Amino acid sequence: MRLYLASTSPARLSVLRGAGIEPICFSPEVDEDAAVAARETELGRPLSAPELTEYLGRLKAEDVVRRHGDEIDGLVLGGDSMFLLDGEILGKPHLPEIALERSKQHRGKTGVLHSGHWLIDHSGGTVRGAAGGVDTAKVTLSADLTDSELAAYVATGEPLELAGGFAIDGLAGAYIESIEGTPSCVIGLSLPELRRLVRELGHEYPALWS
């Protein structure tokens, strides 16, 4: 069974490859801000962070199926991640000064990382079903980190495009004191959640192994 990844995230691709899965990657084209605004207007309330991650993952997977369906025979996975610190949703920092400010805010505290998933069964070249879910992990940053250590990390550029601004599988591994939850969830893709969704759609997870 072939897995198609509706994402260009190097981290998600790395997680899958490390788990023995070699996906075919497509770049989704989704106006996230407009889509979320429309959804919240429809519901009459703001989306929670877990709802946001699953919804955006769904939009990405559906977009790839819509635009590339004639090339797809297998399962299509869309995902999104959001980090909460002190109850505030923090997206990708993008800018060094924002990444540094957030890292100082996170120092000595525990943040919550939500990783949303949406899996579409497009085996046989047609949509046969879909399922979604969210996994959550808690990440604690060491309290004794110095400003110079944080500045050095930000200067590498690694945290700028990461939800939460830290990569446990990268240069910041020594900065993270503890994780409560699935390690792969912190990187951006929960392998246990993927397995659950694959089984929910009637397939066996080992069939994804390359």
Side-chain angles (χ1 to χ4, degrees), residues 46-102:
L47 291 169
S48 67
E51 289 174 329
L52 275 169
T53 59
E54 182 178 308
Y55 183 60
L56 290 174
R58 176 176 182 171
L59 292 179
K60 294 172 185 178
E62 291 178 343
D63 173 73
V64 165
V65 168
R66 182 169 52 252
R67 292 187 298 110
H68 300 284
D70 57 346
E71 306 170 52
I72 294 173
D73 182 2
L75 304 176
V76 181
L77 176 65
D80 197 82
S81 298
M82 290 190 180
F83 185 73
L84 276 76
L85 186 63
D86 297 331
E88 179 186 1
I89 296 176
L90 303 179
K92 299 174 182 178
H94 299 303
L95 300 175
E97 55 268 29
I98 296 177
L100 183 57
E101 178 185 353
R102 289 181 180 176

Side-chain angles (χ1 to χ4, degrees), residues 42-199:
E42 177 185 348
L43 293 174
R45 62 172 178 81
L47 291 169
S48 67
E51 289 174 329
L52 275 169
T53 59
E54 182 178 308
Y55 183 60
L56 290 174
R58 176 176 182 171
L59 292 179
K60 294 172 185 178
E62 291 178 343
D63 173 73
V64 165
V65 168
R66 182 169 52 252
R67 292 187 298 110
H68 300 284
D70 57 346
E71 306 170 52
I72 294 173
D73 182 2
L75 304 176
V76 181
L77 176 65
D80 197 82
S81 298
M82 290 190 180
F83 185 73
L84 276 76
L85 186 63
D86 297 331
E88 179 186 1
I89 296 176
L90 303 179
K92 299 174 182 178
H94 299 303
L95 300 175
E97 55 268 29
I98 296 177
L100 183 57
E101 178 185 353
R102 289 181 180 176
S103 68
K104 291 179 179 179
Q105 181 186 356
H106 189 183
R107 179 169 47 194
K109 295 181 180 179
T110 299
V112 180
L113 193 289
H114 298 288
S115 184
H117 312 72
W118 192 264
L119 192 66
I120 298 175
D121 185 349
H122 200 267
S123 54
T126 187
V127 175
R128 300 178 181 277
V134 180
D135 198 0
T136 298
K138 296 181 179 180
V139 182
T140 302
L141 206 61
S142 297
D144 64 350
L145 287 168
T146 65
D147 287 355
S148 61
E149 285 180 306
L150 294 175
Y153 178 57
V154 171
T156 68
E158 184 178 83
L160 302 187
E161 300 303 320
L162 301 173
F166 283 90
I168 185 175
D169 57 332
L171 299 175
Y175 290 7
I176 296 174
E177 183 175 289
S178 66
I179 292 174
E180 181 182 334
T182 306
S184 60
C185 175
V186 178
I187 304 174
L189 169 65
S190 170
L191 292 170
E193 185 65 21
L194 173 60
R195 174 181 173 271
R196 185 189 70 77
L197 296 176
V198 170
R199 290 172 57 84

